[in-house]
Amino acid sequence: MEQGWPYAVGLLAGAVVLALIVRASKKMDAPSEPALKTVPAAKVAVAPKAVDASADPASEAPVDAADPVDLATVSPVSLGERLKTGLSRTRGAFAGLGAVLQGDFTDELEEELEEILLTSDLGMQASTEVMARLRVRVERDGLKGDGIRDALKAVLLDIIAPCEAAFEPGPGTNVVMMVGINGAGKTTTLGKLAAQHKACGRSVTLAAGDTFRAAAVEQLKAWADRAGVPVIAQDTGADSASVIFDALASARAKDQDILLADTAGRLQNKDHLMDELSKVVRVLKKQDANAPHEVLLVLDAGTGQNAISQAELFTRAVGVTGIVLTKLDGTAKGGVAFAIALKFGLPIRYIGVGEGIEDLQAFSAQAFVDALFEPANA
Ligand SMILES: Nc1nc2c(ncn2[C@@H]2O[C@H](COP(=O)(O)OP(=O)(O)OP(=O)(O)O)[C@@H](O)[C@H]2O)c(=O)[nH]1
């Protein structure tokens, strides 16, 4: 009996390790479950909207008029300031330009410039392309010092300008579907968009298609309350495609302009989860062949070059039509926007430079590049 103890302890330890491995692999497979997040306090308000009495009370969140905010109070000046502040970390990488760009376009200067581009996470391919285009301009025009700086700015603007294209909703109910990896900022962006569309006078319904994360529906309802728009939701674990399909039927019946559909976060390399997303698109098309009218891939700028692989695989699975680059305020890797522009040429619809509603800004190429080249202490 006593001799059996070491075996028993060994067996028990083995079982515990095995259980931990199985649990970890399940977590990797399922859309991961981030910690419950707080919904940021809205600094921007939107006129609340009355709930349609015909709506199913069980499936629609009540609209709370207690938190009115006013988008009109955010002036263009403060938007520009927010952009500059939001990009301050990426701007830090470009801040060394002044010291570097003093004279001729020497080999050392080229190396230093390439280093700056890599530091801001343009990646090797985009950095090489930028340097090649810059070299052509410098040699053609015999540029030095500040001339080189201006040429670099022009090259970056050339690359990113084609990505500036706003989404123009067409007639009928426009389905805008949010996709992306866990925690990229889909739900938050959706909430901000709801308020912004509403402020533009559009009627908006939300679809709680993230049926995996229990807190996601609550998070969405809080945004819906704040924006004064209805949300169609089912229980956690429900089929996401069916929730979004029902939401579209409801939104169409009520002549809503925009249906904003949330989806669960998923790693781009998990084929079965990506298939699930393709299913949502297939199912929506049964109701409206043009739906979804917009598939917004939400990318956390902080993931840097991994954003490229996310864009590749989400585009393949669901045909991304626009990009939202979030959390630029928390990273020095904002240069990834240029890498995405060069590689995919997809419209960058919005950028996120903070947690407030007004921190989701329509993408302006000129403003973006200007903000990067502002002196660090501006
Ligand atoms: N600083 C900053 N935080 C942001 C921005 N966008 C989103 N966030 C925060 O990022 C966190 C994750 O956002 P969510 O909207 O919950 O992300 P999600 O993609 O819906 O997450 P899953 O449902 O798990 O896939 C939240 O705390 C947001 O407030 C941004 O532009 N800047």
Side-chain angles (χ1 to χ4, degrees):
M1 180 73 180
E2 270 181 11
Q3 279 175 346
W5 269 108
Y7 294 109
V9 171
L11 267 175
L12 190 64
V16 169
V17 169
L18 193 66
L20 284 174
I21 290 172
V22 169
R23 208 171 138 213
S25 75
K26 271 190 187 157
K27 259 200 157 163
M28 293 293 289
D29 257 14
S32 62
E33 207 169 351
L36 206 151
K37 297 162 192 126
T38 52
V39 180
K43 295 176 200 141
V44 176
V46 184
K49 183 175 189 293
V51 185
D52 183 344
S54 66
D56 172 8
S59 64
E60 299 206 358
V63 175
D64 182 2
D67 190 18
V69 268
D70 185 5
L71 264 178
T73 60
V74 183
S75 72
V77 177
S78 80
L79 284 180
E81 286 305 316
R82 281 170 186 285
L83 178 63
K84 269 192 265 170
T85 313
L87 285 179
S88 59
R89 296 185 69 176
T90 304
R91 194 148 54 106
F94 282 79
L97 279 175
V100 170
L101 294 171
Q102 299 286 354
D104 291 338
F105 195 64
T106 58
D107 289 350
E108 294 77 52
L109 174 62
E110 278 201 57
E111 263 175 45
E112 288 192 57
L113 284 179
E114 198 154 11
E115 180 78 34
I116 287 173
L117 298 179
L118 288 171
T119 308
S120 78
D121 224 344
L122 266 87
M124 189 49 92
Q125 213 179 340
S127 299
T128 307
E129 176 67 25
V130 168
M131 290 308 294
R133 292 191 193 188
L134 180 62
R135 212 171 292 122
V136 169
R137 284 178 184 244
V138 168
E139 283 166 12
R140 186 190 62 200
D141 301 333
L143 301 174
K144 293 181 184 207
D146 275 354
I148 302 174
R149 178 182 185 274
D150 294 344
L152 176 61
K153 210 172 153 181
V155 165
L156 291 172
L157 186 60
D158 271 0
I159 289 174
I160 209 148
C163 297
E164 183 183 321
F167 170 65
E168 299 294 347
T173 302
N174 292 257
V175 182
V176 178
M177 193 171 135
M178 318 297 293
V179 301
I181 66 164
N182 315 78
K186 294 176 294 300
T187 310
T188 309
T189 301
L190 189 151
K192 293 173 180 174
L193 279 180
Q196 293 191 3
H197 278 301
K198 190 81 193 302
C200 292
R202 299 187 182 111
S203 50
V204 181
T205 294
L206 308 186
D210 181 352
T211 51
F212 179 80
R213 186 163 63 88
V217 176
E218 290 315 311
Q219 195 184 344
L220 201 70
K221 284 181 176 172
W223 277 109
D225 285 354
R226 204 167 278 167
V229 302
V231 49
I232 309 289
Q234 287 177 25
D235 292 336
T236 308
D239 179 28
S240 174
S242 120
V243 174
I244 299 176
F245 183 88
D246 288 352
L248 178 55
S250 161
R252 274 158 59 109
K254 290 181 213 149
D255 262 339
Q256 296 281 286
D257 299 318
I258 308 279
L259 175 70
L260 292 171
D262 200 10
T263 63
R266 62 203 69 229
L267 292 175
Q268 72 273 25
N269 56 1
K270 296 287 171 193
D271 288 346
H272 60 293
L273 297 177
M274 295 304 269
D275 289 346
E276 220 175 75
L277 213 49
S278 318
K279 179 182 157 194
V280 177
V281 173
R282 274 199 315 277
V283 166
L284 282 175
K285 288 196 182 302
K286 290 185 183 167
Q287 222 176 127
D288 177 352
N290 295 321
H293 304 77
E294 170 93 313
V295 178
L296 277 181
L297 172 61
V298 181
L299 297 170
D300 175 346
T303 61
Q305 291 295 300
N306 186 270
I308 303 287
S309 125
Q310 292 169 35
E312 241 157 28
L313 295 167
F314 275 97
T315 299
R316 206 177 299 156
V318 279
V320 171
T321 59
I323 284 177
V324 183
L325 207 51
T326 60
K327 308 191 198 181
L328 277 161
D329 51 310
T331 181
K333 298 177 177 179
V336 72
F338 300 98
I340 291 168
L342 268 177
K343 181 121 189 157
F344 303 100
L346 280 166
I348 300 174
R349 304 284 197 206
Y350 308 93
I351 55 171
V353 291
E355 298 199 72
I357 290 179
E358 69 283 15
D359 291 322
L360 182 74
Q361 299 196 0
F363 178 68
S364 155
Q366 183 75 58
F368 188 81
V369 174
D370 282 349
L372 287 183
F373 280 76
E374 283 284 330
N377 54 0

